Amino acid sequence: MATSTPAADGRTGRTTDPALRAPVARPGSRLLHRLVWLRLGLLLSAPLAWMLLIYVVALAALLITSLWSVDSLSSEIDRTWTLDNFRTLVENQVYRDVTVRTIGVALAVTVIDVAIALPIAFYMAKVASPRLRRMLVVAVLTPLWASYLVKVFAWRVVLSEGGPAEWSGLGSPGYGLTAVVITQAYIWLPYVILPVFAALERVPDSLLEAAGDLGANSGMVLRSVVLPLLVPGILAGGIFAFSLTMGDYITVNIVGGANQMLGNLVFVNAGAANNLPLAAAIAMIPIVVMVVLLAAIRRTGALENL
Amino acid sequence: MSLPTGADASTVATSGDAAATAAISLRGLRKQFGDVAAVDGVDLDIADGEFFSMLGPSGSGKTTVLRLIAGFETATAGTVWLGGTDVTRAAPFERDVHTVFQDYALFPHMSVLDNVAYGLRVRGIGRKDRRGRAEQALDTVRLGQLGGRRPHQLSGGQRQRVALARAIVLEPRVLLLDEPLGALDLKLREQMQVELKQLQRDLGITFVFVTHDQEEALTLSDRIAVFDAGRIQQLGTPREIYETPGSAYVAGFVGTTNLFDAATSQRLLGVRAEHAVRPERLRITPTSAEPTTADEIRLDAVVVETIYLGTGNRVHLRTDDGLELVALEQYTGSLDSAAHRGDAVTVRFARADVVPLAAAP
Amino acid sequence: MSLPTGADASTVATSGDAAATAAISLRGLRKQFGDVAAVDGVDLDIADGEFFSMLGPSGSGKTTVLRLIAGFETATAGTVWLGGTDVTRAAPFERDVHTVFQDYALFPHMSVLDNVAYGLRVRGIGRKDRRGRAEQALDTVRLGQLGGRRPHQLSGGQRQRVALARAIVLEPRVLLLDEPLGALDLKLREQMQVELKQLQRDLGITFVFVTHDQEEALTLSDRIAVFDAGRIQQLGTPREIYETPGSAYVAGFVGTTNLFDAATSQRLLGVRAEHAVRPERLRITPTSAEPTTADEIRLDAVVVETIYLGTGNRVHLRTDDGLELVALEQYTGSLDSAAHRGDAVTVRFARADVVPLAAAP
Amino acid sequence: GCGSDEDKETDAVEELGEMEGQVSILAWPGYVEDGSNDPKVDWVTAFEKDTGCEVTSKVYGTSDEALNLAKTGDYDVIAASGDLSLRLIASDEAQEVNTDLVPNYENVFDFLKDSEWNTVDGVNYGVPHGYGANLLMYNEKNFDSAPTSWGAVFDTEELERNKGKVTAYDSPIYIADAALYLMKTQPDLGIENPYALDEEQLDAAVALLKEQRKYVGEYWSDYLKEIQAFETGDSVVGTTWQVIKNNIKNADVQVTLPTEGATAWNDTWMLSSQSENPNCAYAWMDYILTPKANAQATEYFGEAPNSPAACEETADPNHCETFHAGDEEYAEQLWFWRTPIKECLDGRTDVECTDYAQWTQAWTEIKG
Amino acid sequence: MNLSRTARRMLAGLTFGVLALIYVPLLVVVANSVNPSQSMTWPLDGVTFEWWRRAADSVGARDALVTSLQVAAAATAIALLLGTLLALALQRYSFFGKHSVNLLVILPIALPGVVTGIALSNGFRTILGVDLSIWTIIIAHATFCIVTVSNNVQARLRRMGTSLEEASADLGAGVLTTFRLVTLPQMRSALLAGGMLAFALSFDEIIVTTFTAGNGANTLPIWILNNMFRPNQAPVVNVVAVVLIIFSTIPVWLAQRLSSDVEAVR
Ligand SMILES: Nc1ncnc2c1ncn2[C@@H]1O[C@H](COP(=O)(O)OP(=O)(O)OP(=O)(O)O)[C@@H](O)[C@H]1O
Ligand SMILES: Nc1ncnc2c1ncn2[C@@H]1O[C@H](COP(=O)(O)OP(=O)(O)OP(=O)(O)O)[C@@H](O)[C@H]1O
Ligand SMILES: NCCCCNCCCN
Ligand SMILES: [Mg+2]
Ligand SMILES: [Mg+2]
């Protein structure tokens, strides 16, 4: 059987422009190409060094500081190991109360924001025309630029006695935890809408159509198809609202009436009372809450949507 | 619509009666997207149990017609009848048709079984009952074992079958399939074609099948509608479409063809109108091997290229007066082609095999 | 590698000499991904100017071989020679081969012209010079006017030609094409096949072409390697592959075939070994229409299904002793198939048309 | 005394040298205005022109925050209220000030000189700025007759009718206000000085405040919040500063110095022990004591100036009268903020007093 | 999706209703910027442009704005650089500890600002021994902004796949040339989106800034905070906020347009 040899009819003599044959890449490129670990090292070293040297070290130092105490008169840190700060946290009812209150407020804010963000994001991503969608995104993003403090003070005005809320006939809850929840929900809403919107944009229309085609009405489509697919986006937005609320101490000062939250305790002890060790110990509460939450959520893939 | 061919009869034969009895009837259906008339006046009756294909190039409106039938789009004008009921304004979930989407649209967060059971679930059928039926549907598409997997753990062909199972579990009278085989590779595609056809016949479901693969359409369908620019160009059985194309457009789109323009036809046939002849009707013989009969046309030509196809050879020819022809040499007992690159040959074909085309619309 | 067929000779004929002169030589090439041996010992010489195709099912390692040649993957074992140089460890940008990707991988942020000029630009060729050459390359693929467009403004076929122009502007000696036609619809695909073949012949470039479409491979190639599970199952010209398949696997993969297992062969031919016969070699006649000759095998069968193909009919048959057969009725002057569903017929084929297969590896 | 250790003793500078060309100041908002917030409010530019010392300044919201900032050593001069000054001294953040090098010190009201909150063991650590009292503010409409006692915010009966509309200063130092009330109303507790509370006394004050907490609508620490709350009626009674009252347009809001007296603050300009620009720092301390500058700064902030001469310079001729500047009789009823420390400030040696850290902890618990 | 007309109407109503509510507090701010009362009370006492005049003269506000822009720009630049490097490493390579690194970059944004604030402030001063300054603000902000860039770029790289980069190498481009000519342009809209978010986060951050700002480093939020504690300044703050809202629509709109243009080209 003939092993076919393709015709070599003069083609082999083809000449090509030497400029095209010359090696193009510089030796550095060649080295980079060959050494994968070198490339990875170059990419990873700067960001990793930044995070480790600046952030991890700082957090570790904070943890260590929480095991120290402060000398009351000189206000100097006394570097002998002690669990006193944690004992204080455990023994005093007030820390438990504040922790529960803070988590409660953060949860309420998260739930409200998600509940509001879902239909809005849905309207933006799946109902509005592309042009309207773009305008809505701008409308949602713009309030981010009115300073946080100004917005909180505006809420103080809105909720004041005889203020716009009462004036409009809706009534005002007055200053207190409800006001904190409303204000914080307001402030972080855009940060929740955005990831939910992004997640919705990634859900192909055909899935919704398929569900309708199979006999599901709109409510069922939302419940059985849209919502499960949005979980990562919802979690991403939820983490944002939750953690930002949990760390806030300014809103509660302005509209929170006589209440205090964990952020206030950390702030007062670190910034004011100059008891950094106690502040560090209190800070461990939100750190533990967040780390547990993040670890639980990591598997859902939500962390990539922040 | 003014196609003079016999095949056209079925396009025009649309009475109120037909709408009442056909599985699907479309009347004066139009869909406008801004300036574009995606569907531009379609009248069509599809009979119960028919395997009906819509064939046409990209953008010709096939998907839009399907979406109008399924209820994902609202018609700009015209009506859609399903089993004798006007459903033009009904929501998708109110229509007794189901769609197999080109991208399958399987729910990624559900197992295969849950995907298949979805339609039963939204109908409020109990967990156990729907499980049983879903498993049975999966068996039908020979995926009985894979119910526990997630869609992303399946191959393209398997996904396609899940999409099918998800639709047939609801025992619809009509199934709409939008290029369901488009994403598969050739070998798998051929297998799936056979399975689809079998399924359709076994279940007795009306299939409305969208494809732009003419071979697929010819192989599978009871009838074919060839679309162009939002209109049906020709409607007929595969054979009618292939052998008596109503226009140059259809002749060119379905299968390979040798087209003769009016001038050439005048010269060869003495008729000043477009004609076409299929490559397999051309025979290649040594120059002037036989005398010409009155029934036969004979042209001297040179072989430009001979391409081995396995089942035969495709021979590209150029006649002495510059006409380009393609002939299909089929296996007829001998392995070797008579035509080698550069050979001078004679091409012959029966006058009867040359079909007249309507003037292009 | 121990295929006993003649075609196999070329697989084995790998001397150091061949490696020095061939456009591409692969020796003992292996690529392991975790547990999977994607390429499992491939030896291959591809001559200068050859149109070489790699054919095989999904996951058989075709792409991986191509990527090993291009340098996107590093071989686990074995060597890659290009034009006599060992490039096994060289970076892609150091290799004088270029790739046309299945998804074309055109740079979406550059105009068509800039895409084509890209390789010249990174070689430091001046703006004017590269513009000229890029335009020339675009002319070659008949896209001269579209240089200013962005890739997303092109149709699939046009994109494919841009990808081609982008590679050929660098005047490579070898072009690697990974299913370049896979994303096109059938009609366009047929057109592009012809263009590719012409271009390859005109430029005299070695093409290494990956496809899983057997028809495409048969049509275009000088030689074909049929892959399975990371190995070359058979290597040969289209005709060798089609007409003397080395194994049941190859026979089944390339074209449709009727396979006889050892027992059946024993019964029909008196030889206890696998055999195959192509559907177009089967003839269908009315029952016992003619007497049997010694050279012919004759089986009584029932027609299960007749499928109209345009150029002929595919007839599925079941013999009285349960053997399933496919016959291809080609156009031979008459339009109508002799075989109708349910007919009792006789199937005949020449003993010479039944080819023995090697035992499956 | 409350002591810096002997070995850490700081000696004041004997004479001044060259100006360094810059000085960094840490102060309450409104103390160091250079016109950047309001071009009409500017006394820094003149100083810079006179001395060539360029001023950078940072403001703080509470004394405690200031302590933290002072410790960074970034500041040459610090304006410290009485609850901060002793802590700065104790932690060696402040150094002795040689008042001879501050010519304008002469002008200062005598009763403000060498006060307990800036002079320790006879060593002076700073010069006074202005002062003010923590007064009782109320909305007439909510009272049958004008309240005259802190009972308005501590007596349960009184509190009951303004439930949810009571306000108080948001700082541990507010415990002293409760202690002052107890000092007058419950002599059995033996409180002699509201800043010197033993544990029992602190507990009593805390109990009183916890009771008050039930009626408090909100605590305040910045003007704006309290002004707004009294304007709108969200708050109707509580502690205040005179300046806040002055800014309230609502005519029903009145202010009084209750019969029990009141806590008060007097701020001291202190010199950082880490100062790198002592000459400019001295120059600043002298400058801010000039009648003109002191008048501008104290009037802008809303407190009493520190000298009769400054009272001559105020834009509002009634400013000193309104703020009772130089009114010694009035000043006698004031308990100026001091830092509570373990060593009782009232001279008791038989018990240990509660320190600021304990007050802080207690304040956290009071707010709950 | 195929929703009933009523459902569409309800969704639209809800969306526009909430959006309207979102703008109510902002209207209050606008109203108060012309309210003669200096304590932001309701209803308005009248109309005055005194505060606008004063704001126009406020060097402090202008300086703070400049500082904020500088801080946000620098923090964003650092975040863009580090976030991109990180995204490339995480998306294009597999290595030990990859998931921990991923979690690590999320922490600064997920932990409450007050925690991040005291940790960094303490870290800067006691461990690194650096004085707080504008640079410490920038570093702190960059730390919690890295993740917004990194996540956006990772998502883009994931969608982009490797074929464009391979095509570039195939055509002869070296590693860096490929990055410059192909990868970077492809990431443009992702960088824009991530950068915008980073900029916004930094520009409005107050808590972390409070703890990490050095003497003289006044960002706009800090200036606003301080001025809320000054007599007579609150209305000027409102003016500044109104101006911010008005001017912010320009970059927001531009970014929207730009990224969707890029998106269309993809
Ligand atoms: N939602 C839409 N908005 C605007 N134009 C549309 C829309 N859907 C389809 N079209 C246009 O209508 C025409 C018909 O589109 P359709 O999708 O029905 O074609 P098709 O025959 O299915 O093509 P393909 O083979 O590419 O799927 C096209 O010109 C298309 O651009
Ligand atoms: N990067 C990779 N990591 C792990 N496994 C891989 C990788 N690339 C390919 N493989 C595996 O190697 C085998 C060969 O893959 P390859 O892509 O070469 O097949 P192919 O013949 O090109 O298939 P197709 O026709 O589907 O393109 C497959 O089993 C595939 O799953
Ligand atoms: N609008 C202010 C946004 C503040 C976000 N801060 C995030 C920091 C969390 N550590
Ligand atoms: Mg379509
Ligand atoms: Mg492949």
Side-chain angles (χ1 to χ4, degrees), chain B residues 33 36 38 57-64 179 212:
Chain B
F33 289 115
V36 188
S58 191
S60 56
K62 310 178 294 294
T63 294
T64 308
E179 307 197 19
H212 49 221

Side-chain angles (χ1 to χ4, degrees), chain A residues 5-305:
Chain A
T5 324
D9 43 26
R11 287 192 227 112
T12 35
R14 230 158 34 90
T15 52
T16 41
D17 184 343
L20 298 177
R21 294 282 85 81
V24 277
R26 277 151 287 286
S29 239
R30 225 164 287 166
L31 197 69
L32 272 179
H33 176 83
R34 227 150 285 177
L35 305 177
V36 175
W37 58 265
L38 178 63
R39 264 181 292 160
L40 182 58
L42 286 176
L43 289 175
L44 211 48
S45 54
L48 207 54
W50 180 286
M51 291 307 299
L52 290 177
L53 292 182
I54 291 171
Y55 197 64
V56 174
V57 164
L59 277 185
L62 197 66
L63 177 62
I64 290 170
T65 308
S66 71
L67 298 170
W68 290 339
S69 63
V70 82
D71 180 82
S72 74
L73 189 64
S74 68
S75 300
E76 293 300 331
I77 287 179
D78 176 358
R79 304 187 169 194
T80 41
W81 303 112
T82 166
L83 285 172
D84 279 355
N85 295 313
F86 290 101
R87 205 164 294 132
T88 308
L89 294 192
V90 172
E91 282 170 3
N92 276 305
Q93 178 69 28
V94 63
Y95 294 102
R96 245 168 292 150
D97 291 347
V98 175
T99 301
V100 169
R101 178 184 310 140
T102 306
I103 291 179
V105 168
L107 271 181
V109 168
T110 309
V111 168
I112 290 172
D113 273 350
V114 169
I116 297 176
L118 277 175
I120 294 186
F122 187 84
Y123 181 77
M124 287 165 62
K126 294 290 175 206
V127 181
S129 68
R131 232 187 93 166
L132 179 60
R133 179 177 315 153
R134 202 181 295 164
M135 273 160 43
L136 288 173
V137 171
V138 172
V140 167
L141 284 174
T142 300
L144 288 184
W145 296 84
S147 173
Y148 163 91
L149 273 171
V150 172
K151 282 184 285 187
V152 177
F153 251 98
W155 271 100
R156 186 173 166 85
V157 175
V158 170
L159 298 175
S160 67
E161 219 172 87
E166 287 187 359
W167 185 70
S168 71
L170 287 173
S172 162
Y175 302 140
L177 288 183
T178 314
V180 175
V181 170
I182 293 174
T183 307
Q184 288 277 22
Y186 172 80
I187 303 252
W188 308 129
L189 182 60
Y191 290 101
V192 183
I193 292 181
L194 285 181
V196 175
F197 170 69
L200 258 168
E201 270 198 315
R202 283 193 294 263
V203 176
D205 287 350
S206 67
L207 286 190
L208 310 189
E209 288 178 352
D213 182 77
L214 293 167
N217 61 32
S218 306
M220 288 189 274
V221 175
L222 291 179
R223 220 170 337 108
S224 59
V225 177
V226 178
L227 220 49
L229 291 174
L230 288 190
V231 167
I234 291 173
L235 286 175
I239 288 177
F240 227 100
F242 188 83
S243 77
L244 289 171
T245 307
M246 198 160 60
D248 185 87
Y249 58 85
I250 293 176
T251 299
V252 69
N253 270 346
I254 298 177
V255 298
N259 291 292
Q260 55 184 352
M261 305 212 326
L262 275 179
N264 299 77
L265 298 188
V266 176
F267 179 77
V268 163
N269 281 293
N274 200 36
N275 191 342
L276 189 61
L278 183 58
I282 301 171
M284 289 305 145
I285 299 173
I287 292 182
V288 168
V289 170
M290 282 317 297
V291 168
V292 168
L293 210 60
L294 287 180
I297 282 171
R298 193 167 73 178
R299 19 187 100 240
T300 67
L303 303 187
E304 272 135 39
N305 295 306

Side-chain angles (χ1 to χ4, degrees), chain C residues 59 61-64 102 178-179 210:
Chain C
K62 309 178 296 291
T63 295
T64 307
Q102 172 161 14
D178 193 357
E179 307 196 19
V210 167

Side-chain angles (χ1 to χ4, degrees), chain A residues 148 188 191 244, chain E residues 108-109 111-113 116 144 201 204-205 208:
Chain A
Y148 163 91
W188 308 129
Y191 290 101
L244 289 171
Chain E
I109 198 115
L111 289 185
T116 302
F144 68 71
L201 283 176
D204 200 25
E205 177 61 44
V208 173

Side-chain angles (χ1 to χ4, degrees), chain C residues 47-183:
Chain C
D48 217 10
E50 192 171 3
F51 195 121
F52 188 89
S53 291
M54 303 203 276
L55 182 64
S58 191
S60 58
K62 309 178 296 291
T63 295
T64 307
V65 169
L66 219 62
R67 292 171 59 82
L68 285 164
I69 298 174
F72 302 132
E73 306 282 359
T74 316
T76 309
T79 48
V80 177
W81 301 73
L82 289 177
T85 319
D86 180 348
V87 296
T88 314
R89 305 270 123 201
F93 48 79
E94 297 172 290
R95 303 188 185 198
D96 187 20
V97 296
H98 296 300
T99 309
V100 175
F101 293 82
Q102 172 161 14
D103 62 355
Y104 313 141
L106 298 181
F107 305 126
H109 57 292
M110 297 181 191
S111 70
V112 163
L113 196 72
D114 288 344
N115 261 282
V116 176
Y118 185 84
L120 302 169
R121 178 169 166 204
V122 302
R123 277 171 180 73
I125 288 170
R127 175 176 297 271
K128 230 178 117 184
D129 189 7
R130 65 179 191 245
R131 218 190 141 77
R133 296 201 206 186
E135 275 168 357
Q136 204 179 322
L138 278 176
D139 283 341
T140 310
V141 297
R142 298 188 288 109
L143 284 179
Q145 297 74 37
L146 302 187
R149 293 227 191 138
R150 285 293 174 89
H152 71 96
Q153 297 171 311
L154 301 180
S155 74
Q158 290 169 333
R159 282 181 216 189
Q160 203 266 323
R161 280 184 270 168
V162 175
L164 214 57
R166 188 172 67 172
I168 62 173
V169 75
L170 298 173
E171 301 174 20
R173 278 208 279 271
V174 175
L175 210 53
L176 310 176
L177 302 102
D178 193 357
E179 307 196 19
L181 308 179

Side-chain angles (χ1 to χ4, degrees), chain C residues 303-308 313-316 329 337 339-341:
Chain C
V303 175
V304 176
E305 177 129 50
T306 300
I307 294 168
Y308 179 74
N313 296 301
R314 189 165 68 232
V315 184
H316 294 259
E329 279 192 324
S337 170
H340 298 284
R341 209 137 105 73

